[in-house]
Amino acid sequence: MTKIIAICNQKGGVGKTTTAVNLAASFAALEKKTLLIDMDPQGNASQGLGFVESQDMDMHEILDMAGNPDNLTLENIKPAILDTSLDFLKVITSGPDLAVMEIELVNAMSRERRLERVMNVLKQEFDYIIIDAPPSLNLLTINTLTAATSVLIPVQCEYYALQGMTELFKTIREVQKNLNSNLKIEGALLTMYDSRLSLSKQVAEEVRENLSDTVFQTMIPRNVKLSEAPSHGKPVILYDVQSTGSQAYMKLAEEILNKG
């Protein structure tokens, strides 16, 4: 069964896109057929894999197509599924046009289920689908949560780390209640962890205390190579496989695989 993981946190700067790109790349390195879907109009996940220009077909066109399910076939979607530098990793990009879709969806029928329809077509092709949600709780995020089998929440090891989490969990519960009863919490992921700082340790303890069993054992360290890799259009595993950031995301992928 295909696992569809939404990477979600409405708080910006928590390592959401970094996690989406590098977790997807790590699954691919483990020879799992993986698709990364960029649902953020900023297109940072697309850029992180080297796609800096608008594509002929991206998530805006696909979500538009999903308004008429008869047109939504694998053959019609395939032009948007792009190869990457990793054999087992494909990507569907996004760009500023996706922000327009937010407005177009407001009065649309079954507006929360556009992406779910797309997943029903795509999931037979992949072992893992990773969706980078926008950094806000809007209709694109609701679509992402409705289409996912689980949600992974990056939590930055900084002051106010848990701020806004109540709102996010409330949204997740509403989606579980009304749109996707099968949605599970994959886990909270501590990011930008610096073992030299007492603040990082305090935040990690606080998050584990508040979110208990849902927190991954793997923590993503603050790492220069992780920060540099996007500017080269590469996941960190291709930029510097020996870096602590690369090793941490491989460890995370293995932890998720072992959980089943």
Side-chain angles (χ1 to χ4, degrees), residues 56-238:
D56 292 336
M57 182 186 272
D58 62 12
M59 275 315 297
H60 177 268
E61 281 74 25
I62 290 175
L63 290 174
D64 190 45
M65 192 188 300
N68 182 352
D70 292 340
N71 293 333
L72 200 62
T73 64
L74 183 59
E75 206 57 40
N76 287 343
I77 295 174
K78 268 187 175 174
I81 303 172
L82 307 177
D83 292 333
T84 71
S85 301
L86 288 160
D87 289 344
F88 285 83
L89 179 61
K90 309 286 186 189
V91 64
I92 298 178
T93 65
S94 84
D97 283 355
L98 190 56
V100 179
M101 180 55 65
E102 172 76 16
I103 301 163
E104 293 171 351
L105 284 173
V106 169
N107 296 313
M109 291 286 288
S110 301
R111 59 187 186 178
E112 302 93 348
R113 298 195 179 276
R114 289 282 181 97
L115 186 59
E116 181 185 34
R117 292 174 186 168
V118 178
M119 292 301 97
N120 289 336
V121 176
L122 288 175
K123 63 186 180 184
Q124 61 200 352
E125 300 294 307
F126 298 95
D127 301 314
Y128 285 87
I129 298 176
I130 307 297
I131 309 173
D132 186 29
S136 57
L137 297 178
N138 59 21
L139 265 174
L140 294 177
T141 302
I142 300 299
N143 262 268
T144 300
L145 293 172
T146 303
T149 56
S150 63
V151 54
L152 186 157
I153 305 161
V155 183
Q156 185 182 7
C157 289
E158 296 282 352
Y159 197 54
Y160 296 134
L162 290 168
Q163 192 179 51
M165 293 290 278
T166 304
E167 191 180 347
L168 176 58
F169 277 106
K170 182 182 174 186
T171 300
I172 290 169
R173 282 194 297 272
E174 285 296 315
V175 170
Q176 288 169 326
K177 182 180 173 184
N178 299 303
L179 295 164
N180 183 2
S181 60
N182 296 318
L183 181 66
K184 294 180 171 59
I185 304 289
E186 191 68 41
L189 174 69
L190 291 161
T191 63
M192 304 180 199
Y193 180 78
D194 189 336
S195 59
R196 298 167 301 176
L197 300 178
S198 58
L199 177 62
S200 276
K201 293 174 183 175
Q202 287 168 13
V203 170
E205 285 173 16
E206 185 184 359
V207 171
R208 290 193 189 281
E209 195 175 298
N210 279 272
L211 304 180
S212 61
D213 294 342
T214 62
V215 184
F216 286 105
Q217 289 302 309
T218 304
M219 295 190 288
I220 307 302
R222 213 173 256 290
N223 179 241
V224 173
K225 299 299 182 182
L226 267 179
S227 303
E228 290 175 352
S231 65
H232 295 267
K234 293 178 179 180
V236 71
I237 199 168
L238 292 181

Side-chain angles (χ1 to χ4, degrees), residues 28-47:
L30 293 168
E31 300 192 350
K32 302 295 180 184
K33 288 193 287 184
T34 306
L35 174 66
L36 174 64
I37 291 181
D38 192 346
M39 277 290 283
D40 186 347
Q42 295 176 88
N44 291 150
S46 308
Q47 294 158 18

